[in-house]
Amino acid sequence: MLPRVIIITGPTASGKTELSELIAQKYSGTIINADMGQFYRPLTIGTAKPDWKNKPFKCLLFDILDQPLELNSAAYRTKVLQAIAEIVAEGKMPIIVGGSLFYIKSLFFPPSQIPISEQVRNVDFTQSTEVLLGMLKSIDVDRAQHIHPHDRYRIVRALKLWQQTGIKPSQQKPVFAPSFRALVISIEPPRDVLKKCIEQRTHVMFQQGLIDEARSFLNTDWEAFLEKKGLIGYREIFEWMRAGQQPSLLEATKDLISQKTWQYAKRQLTFLSTFKEDLVREGTKQPGTVQALTISQSTYTPDLDYSIRKFAKA
């Protein structure tokens, strides 16, 4: 019998942490982190990391890296499956929480073991998503037709797969192979509400000391790493600091962070839409492996409680 796992995901600032903590307390759960930025011990304010050490339940896979090193999806998947086994053995409910959807997808579709080189030939990946999609269509029409035209991550990933291996991405598609039964709860607030939440959270981060946190990374290995990973907030503050830290430009920097976070949230929603379609399609072929539930707010409602209780007893 496969173990049962609850997964809570959604765009940034949608309320995933708050909801997961309510469920963890009600259903004797242990939380497993699925937010890439929160893997890193020094990254706290800019990643909206919860105070995970002081919760009344166990939290895993936070602060697992002290150095600016990559954690690929295959390594993450291995850690999660180990954690699930330990949690289930303790009689607890595993609750995976986060918005790093590529990592979450790897739990259902084990990633290809083919390495992706950072140095791929003759492609400028700073070009527009439309241009890159056109390039992919010229290489692999079948794969391009199955990617949303705004899903930049998947487009770039497909191009890199082809350039690294010479094999069409459509011939390297991961196979649906979950190691657990899952209830996937996706929090997707109305867009105007989500945008306001992002603006509010950006304001709170600055109040909490985001500038000082970013400053601590200047002239260290973390600076280049954060630039490369594109973690929103840090690099915009780096640019403000390099420009002379003018107080008159600080509000514009805050607005830019909110704007870029909103753009990122929209990309997450696009990825989520395709991901849920994949789960429903593949889950239909293997009944009982996955249930997908979309809610508009992080409030714990009677309907949500009913769905979780039904899943927990299945």
Side-chain angles (χ1 to χ4, degrees), residues 209-229:
L210 180 58
I211 290 176
D212 289 337
E213 182 170 283
R215 183 178 287 114
S216 70
F217 301 131
L218 284 175
N219 303 315
T220 71
D221 291 341
W222 286 99
E223 181 179 358
F225 179 76
L226 291 169
E227 293 276 11
K228 174 186 172 184
K229 298 297 288 185

Side-chain angles (χ1 to χ4, degrees), residues 60 81-92:
L60 304 176
L81 295 182
Q82 290 173 346
I84 290 173
E86 293 170 5
I87 295 167
V88 171
E90 295 172 353
K92 304 288 187 179

